[in-house]
């Protein structure tokens, strides 16, 4: 992952989850949040998806969350792939959030620090329980 | 490997069409099934930048995009164009950028053909009244017209040529870093015959 310039506020992220409930990134202030933009037809997205669940379980719910933002797909199509997840699935049906976040391609992932700043960005697939990524999240939790 | 799902890699190695259709068929597999590695038929590197490619057939693209809201008629011109799935990785220590407008395919007869920009396709979809959801899927499935790769980034997408050159063809992929402009050449590519 690439470290981002300090104190860059994350764009607004306010989308419906799988139950139609609005989820706002701002409600996670005080936690470190991993925001992953993905689609089920994207091979590297599919490959990294299980690691989102694994990294989620490495941390307490009170300190870390994963938000998986699906881009442009029907919820039924998404559920057939994702099933029940340990983290919220959000739906960016018109890709407006993806555009606001400056995403160039899928998958793209951001790590947001406890103050709501974008700390890291990754273009392309990753394994999120990789020791380097886990270490970076732990460092953010200490700051 | 988790579960009972198994991939016959020989299928992928033997035929890009079968391989791509297999990837499409994985859309119904749940996330806990282990995803296969993508097998690339063509590779080339320059310094720490690697580009890979697989040819895409008419049938595979028609199936893929019909599953995302295109009609067979609307996707016909795209599906029958000469196209490739491209992966590009920056394993270096500094950032690089790419512009599809700088890339060229060079046919066996030496004639250069440019890449058809994703925006040109999108203008077609707007004119044809393609549904917004289908256009979104199309947009993000393409190799973007401009990309910035930080160290470790890997970006994948589809590209199409303005027309099919005489084969075998070379794809000249250009990128820019702090030292200047560079190119990577993928050799002996061919459009799929259908």
């Amino acid at each position: 992952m690439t470290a981002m310039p300090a104190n860059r506020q994350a764009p607004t992220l306010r989308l419906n989850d799988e139950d139609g409930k609005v989820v706002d990134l701002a409600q996670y202030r005080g936690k470190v949040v991993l925001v992953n933009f993905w689609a089920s037809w994207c091979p590297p997205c599919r490959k990294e998806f299980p690691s989102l669940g694994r990294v989620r379980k490495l941390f307490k719910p009170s300190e870390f969350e994963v938000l998986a933002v699906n881009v442009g797909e029907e919820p039924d199509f998404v559920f057939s792939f994702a099933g029940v997840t340990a983290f919220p699935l959000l739906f960016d049906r018109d890709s407006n959030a993806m555009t606001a976040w400056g995403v160039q391609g899928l998958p793209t992932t951001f790590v947001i620090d406890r103050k709501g700043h974008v700390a890291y960005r990754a273009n392309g697939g990753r394994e999120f329980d990789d020791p380097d990524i886990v270490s970076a999240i732990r460092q953010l939790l200490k700051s | 490997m988790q579960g009972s799902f198994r991939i016959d890699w020989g299928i992928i190695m033997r035929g890009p069409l079968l391989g791509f259709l297999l990837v499409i068929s994985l859309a119904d597999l749940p996330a806990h099934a282990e995803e296969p590695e993508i097998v690339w038929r063509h590779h080339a590197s320059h310094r720490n930048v690697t580009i890979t490619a697989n040819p895409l057939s008419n049938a595979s693209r028609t199936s893929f995009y019909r599953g995302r809201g295109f009609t067979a008629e609307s996707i016909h011109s795209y599906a029958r164009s000469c196209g490739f799935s491209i992966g590009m990785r920056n394993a270096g220590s500094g950032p690089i950028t790419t512009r599809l407008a700088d890339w060229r395919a060079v046919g066996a007869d030496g004639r250069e053909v440019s890449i058809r920009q994703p925006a040109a396709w999108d203008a077609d979809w707007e004119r044809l009244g393609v549904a917004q959801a289908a256009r979104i899927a199309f947009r993000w499935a393409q190799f973007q017209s401009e990309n910035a790769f930080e160290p470790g980034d890997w970006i994948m997408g589809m590209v199409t040529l303005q027309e099919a050159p005489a084969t075998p063809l070379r794809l000249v992929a250009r990128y820019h870093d702090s030292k200047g402009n560079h190119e990577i050449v993928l050799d002996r590519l061919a459009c799929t015959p259908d």
Side-chain angles (χ1 to χ4, degrees), chain A residues 5-131:
Chain A
N7 300 324
R8 190 186 134 204
Q9 196 68 32
T12 299
L13 185 71
R14 199 164 184 275
L15 296 166
N16 286 345
D17 69 6
E18 60 267 41
D19 298 319
K21 187 180 75 176
V22 174
V23 173
D24 191 336
L25 175 64
Q27 73 196 57
Y28 295 95
R29 190 67 55 88
K31 298 183 185 184
V32 172
V33 184
L34 189 151
V35 179
N36 175 254
F37 288 88
W38 71 287
S40 69
W41 46 260
C42 151
C45 304
R46 298 174 62 89
K47 182 166 174 52
E48 72 178 8
F49 197 87
S51 75
L52 294 173
R54 294 197 299 270
V55 73
R56 171 67 188 79
K57 291 174 182 171
L58 291 177
F59 297 95
K60 297 175 188 167
S62 59
E63 61 186 11
F64 177 71
E65 188 55 278
V66 170
L67 299 178
V69 182
N70 177 272
V71 180
E73 294 186 283
E74 295 288 339
D76 286 350
F77 211 81
V78 173
F79 295 144
S80 69
F81 167 71
V84 178
T85 58
F87 47 83
L89 283 177
L90 309 184
F91 292 87
D92 184 19
R93 301 290 298 275
D94 53 13
S95 80
N96 283 346
M98 191 169 166
T99 303
W101 280 65
V103 174
Q104 297 175 321
L106 296 177
T108 295
T109 302
F110 300 88
V111 179
I112 312 304
D113 71 15
R114 300 170 84 148
K115 296 175 182 170
H117 299 139
V118 180
Y120 294 98
R121 173 181 180 133
N123 295 333
R126 300 290 194 279
E127 291 298 320
F128 293 107
D129 52 348
D130 177 274

Side-chain angles (χ1 to χ4, degrees), chain A residues 2 40-41 43-44 46-47 49-50 71-73 77 80-82 93-95 98-99 103-106 122-126, chain B residues 23 26-31 35 37-38 64 68 133 136-137 139-141 144 146-148 150-156:
Chain A
T2 303
S40 69
W41 46 260
R46 298 174 62 89
K47 182 166 174 52
F49 197 87
V71 180
E73 294 186 283
F77 211 81
S80 69
F81 167 71
R93 301 290 298 275
D94 53 13
S95 80
M98 191 169 166
T99 303
V103 174
Q104 297 175 321
L106 296 177
N123 295 333
R126 300 290 194 279
Chain B
V23 170
L26 295 175
D28 292 332
L29 281 175
E35 287 292 312
E37 294 291 339
I38 298 167
F64 180 85
R68 280 147 190 88
I136 290 169
R139 176 183 174 193
W140 296 112
Q144 302 298 298
E146 295 188 5
N147 277 314
E150 295 294 334
D153 284 353
W154 172 53
I155 293 175
M156 183 179 166

